[in-house]
């Protein structure tokens, strides 16, 4: 796999004359303290190096995204670890109707979303958009290799959307995703109740869904409506119904509504498929009012109905060009919480300096009979951008509650963007 991808990368670059190379390189360090007893602690410093590189020529491009994580102090057992999130070649608008991707690439789907190794195709024409994916799951920790058993770890997805009128979309789709957990050795009791090592093997489990969607958007009237439907082909029942909408009630007043019916998403052949978890029903509604310039006052209320319990939540917030303040309250089966948050940030000296700060005060308990817990957190940061392509982020975090008393953490991050025609 490594040799194939290296050859593919070199061939792609050499094929392109007059290439456009763009991307970002960032390096960050994150420090925190971990206690192994009440009096003994160790300071850890974790490093993360990320590189994104895009090489494009005409209709063809190469996309990569790589992350290296390591410890500068007190290394973990698995250090160092390299993760390949993207590594694919893309042809855009081929024959004026097709876009093709080959390699490790993202897939945007509520059911099979994530990263996979394989082929993605998008076709457009006659007011239709057709998307299709076929491939396999990536190995653990996004390692740069192909997974061994494609037959038990594959992904197949397709969707067709029709745009009969401006702002109107209808779509149907199919998603199948197989997943096989790794075999492992564990101690089990034999017929004489003696512990023996046993190889635990798992069958491949599967998601298999039909999906449907319909949406309408009229931007000039600030109107948006969308519905989404999922049907579980393995269990032969509706898995999810989702409805959301947003619209203008007056010149400065908007309303938003949301609702869903959801069954637990359980893989077929999984041991969890034998349990009756019950479904949830959720509704939420809210208003937002815009006054002055870029001042928005909004409030929302939501209610969730579980199988035998219920929970509610409410949120009130004010957003301004200088920051935001919000209050959130939850009560019922999901626990009781009161939280007040404030954050601010402002750019100075034509973008050279952007300080920011945030503070939150929270009290919570998991049930009404539990003791109340208090939590205070502070965040202070600054972004320094001496030139357009380079910036430095400095951030300090402080948290204090019963379990993490005076917890202090620091983050330093360097960013460099580049875009060049060769």
């Amino acid at each position: 796999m490594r040799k194939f991808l290296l050859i593919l990368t070199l061939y792609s670059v050499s094929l392109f004359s007059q290439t456009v190379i763009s991307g970002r390189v960032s390096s960050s360090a994150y420090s925190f303290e971990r206690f192994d007893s009440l009096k003994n602690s160790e300071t850890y410093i974790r490093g993360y190096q990320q590189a994104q590189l895009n090489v494009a020529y005409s209709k063809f491009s190469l996309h990569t995204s790589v992350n290296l994580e390591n410890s500068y102090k007190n290394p973990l057992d698995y250090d160092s670890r390299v993760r390949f999130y993207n590594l694919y070649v893309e042809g855009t608008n081929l024959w004026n109707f097709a876009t093709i991707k080959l390699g490790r690439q993202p897939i945007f789907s509520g059911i099979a979303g994530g990263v996979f190794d394989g082929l993605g195709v998008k076709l457009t024409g006659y007011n239709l958009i057709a998307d299709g994916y076929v491939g396999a799951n990536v190995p653990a920790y996004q390692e740069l290799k192909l997974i061994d058993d494609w037959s038990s770890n594959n992904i197949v997805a397709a969707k067709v959307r029709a745009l009969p009128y401006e702002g109107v979309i209808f779509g149907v789709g199919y998603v199948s995703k197989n997943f096989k957990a790794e075999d492992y050795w564990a101690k089990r009791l034999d017929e004489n109740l003696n512990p023996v090592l046993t190889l635990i093997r798992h069958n491949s489990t599967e998601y298999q869904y039909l999906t449907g969607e319909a949406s309408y958007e009229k931007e000039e009237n600030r109107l948006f409506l969308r519905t989404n439907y999922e049907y579980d082909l393995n269990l032969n029942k509706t898995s999810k119904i989702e409805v959301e909408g947003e619209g203008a009630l007056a010149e400065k007043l908007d309303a938003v509504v949301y609702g869903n019916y959801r069954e637990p998403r359980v893989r077929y052949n999984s041991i969890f498929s034998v349990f009756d978890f019950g479904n949830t029903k959720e509704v939420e509604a809210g208003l937002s009012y815009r006054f002055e310039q870029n001042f928005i006052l909004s409030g929302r209320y939501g209610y969730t109905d579980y199988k035998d319990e219920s929970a509610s939540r409410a949120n009130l917030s004010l957003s301004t060009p200088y920051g935001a303040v919000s209050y959130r309250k939850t009560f019922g089966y999901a626990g009781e919480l009161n939280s007040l948050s404030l954050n601010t940030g402002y750019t100075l000296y034509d973008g050279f300096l952007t300080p920011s700060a945030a503070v939150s005060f929270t009290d919570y308990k998991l049930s009404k009979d539990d003791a109340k817990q208090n939590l205070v957190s502070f965040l202070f940061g600054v972004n320094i951008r001496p030139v357009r392509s380079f910036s430095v982020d400095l951030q300090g975090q402080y948290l204090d509650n019963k379990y993490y008393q005076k917890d202090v953490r620091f983050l330093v991050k360097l960013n460099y963007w580049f875009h060049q025609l060769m």
Side-chain angles (χ1 to χ4, degrees):
M1 176 63 176
R2 291 186 179 90
K3 292 181 179 179
F4 168 76
L5 292 174
L6 179 60
I7 293 172
L8 180 64
T9 302
L10 294 175
Y11 176 75
S12 301
V13 174
S14 64
L15 183 65
F16 303 151
S17 59
Q18 296 295 313
T19 59
V20 176
I21 298 179
S22 62
R24 185 183 73 169
V25 178
S26 65
S27 178
S28 59
Y30 180 64
S31 69
F32 59 93
E33 187 178 18
R34 175 176 292 174
F35 282 82
D36 52 23
S37 66
L38 291 176
K39 296 183 179 181
N40 296 323
S41 67
E42 292 282 352
T43 299
Y44 290 77
I45 302 178
R46 300 283 296 162
Y48 301 91
Q49 327 305 322
Q50 186 178 29
Q52 295 177 330
L53 175 66
N54 302 317
V55 182
Y57 172 76
S58 184
K59 297 182 178 181
F60 298 93
S61 56
L62 172 70
H63 301 263
T64 69
S65 178
V66 185
N67 186 77
L68 169 66
E69 56 187 77
N70 194 19
S71 289
Y72 299 122
K73 186 176 182 180
N74 289 321
L76 303 179
D77 292 340
Y78 57 77
D79 286 332
S80 301
R81 177 172 283 165
V82 179
R83 298 174 184 262
F84 277 80
Y85 293 106
N86 288 334
L87 183 52
Y88 65 92
V89 175
E90 179 179 16
T92 305
N93 198 27
L94 304 177
W95 310 287
N96 295 322
F97 69 88
T99 296
I100 300 175
K101 299 179 182 179
L102 178 64
R104 180 162 298 178
Q105 57 188 283
I107 176 174
F108 300 99
S109 168
I111 299 170
V115 181
F116 78 104
D117 291 323
L119 176 69
V121 178
K122 180 179 180 179
L123 307 176
T124 59
Y126 303 102
N127 293 327
L128 295 174
I129 302 175
D131 294 276
Y133 306 90
V134 59
N137 300 319
V138 301
Y141 309 111
Q142 294 78 37
E143 189 177 353
L144 186 59
K145 69 176 184 179
L146 296 176
I147 204 163
D148 294 331
D149 188 0
W150 280 50
S151 63
S152 299
N153 291 279
N154 55 67
I155 298 174
V156 177
K159 176 181 282 189
V160 177
R161 287 174 291 171
L163 294 75
Y165 307 103
E166 183 179 358
V168 177
I169 299 177
F170 296 103
V172 294
Y174 169 81
V175 177
S176 174
K177 181 174 182 178
N178 279 294
F179 175 83
K180 186 179 186 304
E182 293 185 5
D183 299 338
Y184 63 94
W185 291 90
K187 287 187 177 181
R188 295 293 186 266
L189 299 179
D190 63 11
E191 62 274 11
N192 297 319
L193 301 181
N194 295 316
V196 295
L197 278 177
T198 305
L199 179 61
I200 308 299
R201 296 181 180 273
H202 294 276
N203 293 324
S204 179
T205 56
E206 181 185 26
Y207 291 137
Q208 191 173 202
Y209 287 82
L210 284 176
T211 65
E213 67 171 280
S215 66
Y216 174 72
E217 182 175 11
K218 197 168 185 179
E219 187 173 350
E220 59 270 25
N221 292 346
R222 308 203 309 273
L223 178 63
F224 172 74
L225 296 170
R226 184 183 72 88
T227 62
N228 183 49
Y229 177 80
E230 296 177 3
Y231 184 82
D232 192 325
L233 291 172
N234 290 328
L235 302 179
N236 293 318
K237 64 179 181 180
T238 295
S239 173
K240 179 181 175 182
I241 302 174
E242 187 177 39
V243 180
E244 63 178 325
E246 186 175 350
L249 301 179
E251 182 181 355
K252 297 182 179 181
L253 183 65
D254 291 350
V256 59
V257 294
Y258 175 81
N260 73 51
Y261 165 91
R262 187 193 304 269
E263 290 280 347
R265 185 168 290 159
V266 181
R267 292 188 177 101
Y268 191 65
N269 288 335
S270 165
I271 184 62
F272 298 106
S273 64
V274 303
F275 297 101
D276 180 17
F277 293 97
N279 56 61
T280 62
K281 306 177 188 69
E282 181 179 0
V283 293
E284 186 177 60
L287 296 171
S288 64
Y289 180 74
R290 183 185 300 272
F291 59 97
E292 297 300 329
Q293 185 176 5
N294 298 323
F295 283 76
I296 301 174
L297 178 65
S298 62
R300 290 193 179 193
Y301 174 82
Y303 176 84
T304 303
D305 180 61
Y306 300 96
K307 184 177 181 180
D308 300 312
E309 302 284 351
S310 63
S312 299
R313 62 186 183 274
N315 179 272
L316 182 65
S317 65
L318 174 64
S319 176
T320 77
Y322 312 102
V325 56
S326 66
Y327 171 75
R328 179 178 176 85
K329 181 177 181 63
T330 64
F331 42 94
Y333 183 66
E336 299 184 9
L337 177 145
N338 292 280
S339 179
L340 177 65
S341 301
L342 301 94
N343 66 77
T344 184
Y346 199 74
T347 299
L348 304 170
Y349 308 117
D350 296 325
F352 172 75
L353 196 66
T354 304
S356 60
V359 58
S360 70
F361 306 94
T362 304
D363 64 69
Y364 65 95
K365 50 184 179 179
L366 298 180
S367 68
K368 62 181 181 181
D369 298 324
D370 290 343
K372 182 180 292 187
Q373 305 292 336
N374 296 302
L375 184 151
V376 179
S377 64
F378 295 92
L379 184 149
F380 300 96
V382 61
N383 175 271
I384 305 170
R385 189 184 295 270
V387 293
R388 186 174 182 180
S389 60
F390 177 76
S391 70
V392 180
D393 288 289
L394 305 173
Q395 189 178 98
Q397 306 167 7
Y398 173 87
L399 182 147
D400 185 77
N401 70 354
K402 178 181 178 180
Y403 304 103
Y404 295 92
Q405 296 181 7
K406 299 179 181 178
D407 183 276
V408 179
R409 305 184 179 213
F410 295 98
L411 172 70
V412 179
K413 186 174 184 180
L414 309 178
N415 301 282
Y416 174 69
W417 293 265
F418 54 92
H419 184 93
Q420 184 173 354
L421 176 64
M422 296 184 63

